[in-house]
Amino acid sequence: MSNRRTFAIISHPDAGKTTLTEKLLLQGGAIHLAGEVKARGQARRARSDWMKIEQQRGISVTSSVMTFEKDYDGETITFNLLDTPGHEDFSEDTYRTLTAVDSAVMVIDAAKGIEPQTRKLFEVCRLRNVPIITFVNKVDREGRDPFETLDEVADMLALDVSPQMWPIGMGGQFEGLLDFESGEVSRPEGPSKEFLGKRDSDPEIPEEWAEEAELAKVGYPEFDLDAYRSGDLTPVYFGSALKSFGVTELIDAIAKHAPPPRPQPAGDEQIAPGHDEVTGFIFKVQANMDPNHRDRIAFMRQVSGTFKRGMKLTPSGLGKPIAIHSPILFFAQDREIADTAEAGDIIGIPNHGTLRVGDTLSEKDAVRFTGLPNFAPEILRRVQLKDPTKTKQLRKALDDLSEEGVIQVFYPEIGAQHIVGVVGQLQLDVLISRLSAEYKVEAVLEASPFATARWLKGERKALDEFESFNRANLARDRDGDLVFMAKSPWDVNYQIEKNPELTFSATKER
Ligand code: G4P
């Protein structure tokens, strides 16, 4: 049985994801002072110009991996926490990160309930049957009636909810948290009313709250491991990330209930962790983590086998093996060179553009993981250079950034202007900012006549014929694949009807 738990936290901005992350790392001994996650984040931001956007918008554009461990009766559980970008514009990036996890923690603000971003992220999890543990945060503040929150989760997300804890009072009247399983109440202490480890095993609970807790216990389904793992039921923990309530219970629940590494789809096959070779897929590429070295890190989710440093793996996009000499494991404080890694782990692979999002890496070069598509862009813009002598630099930059998955780039069959496509507006800001900061290319974006794009597939003859009539609406993507640039959704439907022998695909698997 694997001791890896690879998960992400999904939430709406401000629900408390950063604070909870910090407390989880603190519990795992990965950091020693609360506040370090943010502090480190700021130090990192200061290093790179383009990350100014993060500061201006107060969002996290870069996503990272944090690994920490906790012992349970002699067994060490390794937690890999993948940070999902917290902005709704980054649906594509977030989607890919969620393909690399086996479970998720959904953080809800006790006063606000399910917010739009929580819901979107939840839908992505549901699409992939990712099981979810719910953490209702900020019970130290005046919030909604907990029953209301539970019913909202159940109704809006069509999930069974199974409370595992109950707050004794909220806000000013908050007297602690009752753990249903142990019957203990964790108590606030000191002037800041934090949880400092005081657990009451024979608690006196005011009648009103005792009744409520009893009602919650009998009124909702009991925890059922199978129902949780198949995504039909969510166990609900209450707590306060800020005051450290419910954090131990949450981490223990992940250790105990969250699934170990799951098989991953590869066409018609499922590759299980026990598969007889090392396999994995790249779900993210991040450039310039250290601007002095212009390095580029590809994040690989390992799916099977035992990886050893120096091992040769073949990336599907390259077709020949490369030796992985300096893999990186992301222990929260430092980047560390990894000697071995197991299924479920995330390995950072430094490279100069050979690895791309969606690539499969494997020893035998026979497996191809699926389910990491590019999505048809919803916003298309023409890139206009301010200095026309920089065409070469622009092309290099656009190729790089599309490999990283920041944008998609399309080269029209007619005309010299490059077209960039994104799923969300923020990606365009990142593009302009990085073009200028990293490639010294000043550019502006102009409206393009196109509204969306579809990847074209079909027999050579049919494709050629379509091409000869529609050259003005055709482009090649970064891989040289043919793309139909549509002026409207109507345009797409029209062409689909007119060309039954071709497929117009809204996603592309690499
Ligand atoms: P995010 O990453 O999900 O965006 O949320 P983050 O952790 O940054 O938390 C958002 C705000 O909510 C922060 O306050 C944080 O201190 C507060 N918060 C998080 N968890 C709790 C909790 O359990 N109880 C209470 N009362 N507050 C909580 P801020 O004032 O915006 O930031 P800061 O100045 O405190 O850092």
Side-chain angles (χ1 to χ4, degrees):
M1 199 54 171
S2 168
N3 61 358
R4 296 313 201 258
R5 301 288 181 273
T6 303
F7 71 105
I9 300 178
I10 59 172
S11 64
H12 192 83
D14 264 357
K17 187 176 75 172
T18 311
T19 313
L20 182 63
T21 300
E22 221 161 75
K23 291 296 164 74
L24 289 172
L25 295 178
L26 205 61
Q27 282 254 327
I31 55 170
H32 303 286
L33 265 179
E36 280 189 31
V37 172
K38 262 191 178 158
R40 277 185 339 116
Q42 272 151 11
R44 199 171 57 207
R45 273 169 218 166
R47 279 202 263 143
S48 176
D49 268 351
W50 72 270
M51 290 182 187
K52 276 182 191 150
I53 295 177
E54 288 193 337
Q55 283 167 317
Q56 284 162 5
R57 298 227 187 176
I59 50 147
S60 158
V61 178
T62 45
S63 125
S64 55
V65 183
M66 286 158 277
T67 299
F68 57 96
E69 294 175 336
K70 195 175 171 189
D71 281 331
Y72 291 90
D73 301 326
E75 195 197 353
T76 304
I77 299 285
T78 300
F79 300 87
N80 296 313
L81 169 53
L82 273 56
D83 190 20
T84 50
H87 198 280
E88 60 188 305
D89 274 357
F90 269 78
S91 48
E92 197 172 5
D93 204 5
T94 305
Y95 181 90
R96 294 202 207 98
T97 297
L98 290 175
T99 60
V101 301
D102 300 304
S103 71
V105 171
M106 175 169 73
V107 178
I108 297 176
D109 185 324
K112 295 187 178 154
I114 304 274
E115 296 176 86
Q117 179 71 349
T118 334
R119 191 173 180 154
K120 268 194 198 168
L121 291 166
F122 170 81
E123 295 301 340
V124 174
C125 289
R126 166 159 286 171
L127 216 62
R128 299 183 58 90
N129 290 324
V130 172
I132 289 179
I133 296 179
T134 301
F135 187 79
V136 180
N137 191 30
K138 307 195 186 183
V139 296
D140 59 302
R141 283 220 296 232
E142 218 54 67
R144 286 189 190 169
D145 180 348
F147 286 106
E148 206 180 300
T149 306
L150 287 177
D151 293 343
E152 187 181 81
V153 174
D155 294 344
M156 275 178 82
L157 307 182
L159 266 184
D160 279 339
V161 292
S162 173
Q164 304 297 303
M165 313 187 81
W166 202 253
I168 312 298
M170 268 194 175
Q173 270 135 36
F174 178 65
E175 287 180 29
L177 264 185
L178 169 66
D179 181 346
F180 285 164
E181 196 182 327
S182 67
E184 291 180 342
V185 170
S186 29
R187 296 286 192 190
E189 284 183 273
S192 65
K193 301 206 164 171
E194 269 178 78
F195 176 64
L196 301 169
K198 184 177 170 196
R199 287 207 167 82
D200 212 342
S201 54
D202 188 17
E204 275 195 25
I205 302 172
E207 201 171 323
E208 171 199 356
W209 295 106
E211 272 174 23
E212 266 207 4
E214 198 49 40
L215 254 174
K217 214 168 155 177
V218 299
Y220 292 97
E222 267 183 53
F223 178 72
D224 173 335
L225 187 66
D226 291 336
Y228 156 66
R229 290 222 177 143
S230 58
D232 297 322
L233 173 146
T234 179
V236 180
Y237 292 79
F238 288 85
S240 161
L242 189 66
K243 310 274 181 188
S244 307
F245 280 94
V247 178
T248 312
E249 288 82 355
L250 176 66
I251 200 170
D252 293 351
I254 299 168
K256 199 166 158 193
H257 305 310
R262 308 198 303 170
Q264 297 285 334
D268 298 335
E269 266 185 293
Q270 295 277 331
I271 305 296
H275 184 75
D276 66 351
E277 60 168 331
V278 170
T279 65
F281 59 85
I282 307 292
F283 64 95
K284 181 176 181 63
V285 173
Q286 196 169 335
N288 297 350
M289 285 174 90
D290 182 348
N292 294 325
H293 297 99
R294 289 194 68 94
D295 62 351
R296 180 183 289 233
I297 307 285
F299 293 79
M300 178 181 93
R301 150 83 201 220
Q302 193 175 331
V303 176
S304 65
T306 296
F307 172 85
K308 293 200 171 60
R309 189 175 162 194
M311 200 170 224
K312 283 189 175 155
L313 296 178
T314 302
S316 52
L318 198 65
K320 59 174 198 254
I322 54 170
I324 318 285
H325 287 302
S326 353
I328 297 166
L329 274 192
F330 295 86
F331 278 96
Q333 267 181 327
D334 308 290
R335 300 189 198 171
E336 285 184 7
I337 300 288
D339 283 323
T340 65
E342 301 291 333
D345 285 337
I346 310 298
I347 305 174
I349 307 174
N351 71 101
H352 299 290
T354 36
L355 297 177
R356 295 167 57 183
V357 167
D359 276 353
T360 295
L361 271 75
S362 60
E363 288 178 80
K364 298 177 185 165
D365 194 24
V367 170
R368 292 288 180 274
F369 289 108
T370 43
L372 277 147
N374 280 122
F375 294 90
E378 285 161 23
I379 304 174
L380 291 156
R381 293 282 182 272
R382 269 197 184 126
V383 188
Q384 177 75 39
L385 270 175
K386 285 188 186 162
D387 173 358
T389 63
K390 296 253 179 159
T391 345
K392 243 191 180 159
Q393 287 91 329
L394 177 67
R395 173 115 193 190
K396 162 100 175 78
L398 292 179
D399 281 351
D400 278 2
L401 295 173
S402 72
E403 263 162 30
E404 251 184 74
V406 173
I407 49 148
Q408 295 180 50
V409 62
F410 302 99
Y411 301 108
E413 300 231 308
I414 295 175
Q417 265 175 342
H418 309 320
I419 291 180
V420 294
V422 295
V423 179
Q425 173 69 32
L426 183 63
Q427 286 167 274
L428 293 178
D429 299 351
V430 172
L431 168 67
I432 290 299
S433 186
R434 289 189 62 182
L435 279 179
S436 162
E438 291 167 32
Y439 297 90
K440 311 286 174 246
V441 171
E442 302 302 326
V444 289
L445 299 173
E446 293 178 340
S448 96
F450 307 116
T452 186
R454 292 290 182 273
W455 282 275
L456 276 176
K457 277 217 185 85
E459 298 284 333
R460 183 75 266 152
K461 191 165 161 276
L463 276 177
D464 286 348
E465 196 171 302
F466 185 79
E467 202 174 346
S468 63
F469 285 108
N470 295 281
R471 206 167 282 275
N473 293 321
L474 287 172
R476 299 272 169 184
D477 70 7
R478 170 84 182 87
D479 303 316
D481 288 335
L482 202 57
V483 184
F484 174 64
M485 311 295 283
K487 295 199 169 71
S488 65
W490 182 87
D491 202 12
V492 176
N493 291 333
Y494 176 76
Q495 293 294 354
I496 290 174
E497 272 181 31
K498 220 177 129 194
N499 299 280
E501 69 286 9
L502 295 176
T503 53
F504 292 76
S505 179
T507 56
K508 170 180 156 172
E509 295 261 7
R510 290 201 54 238

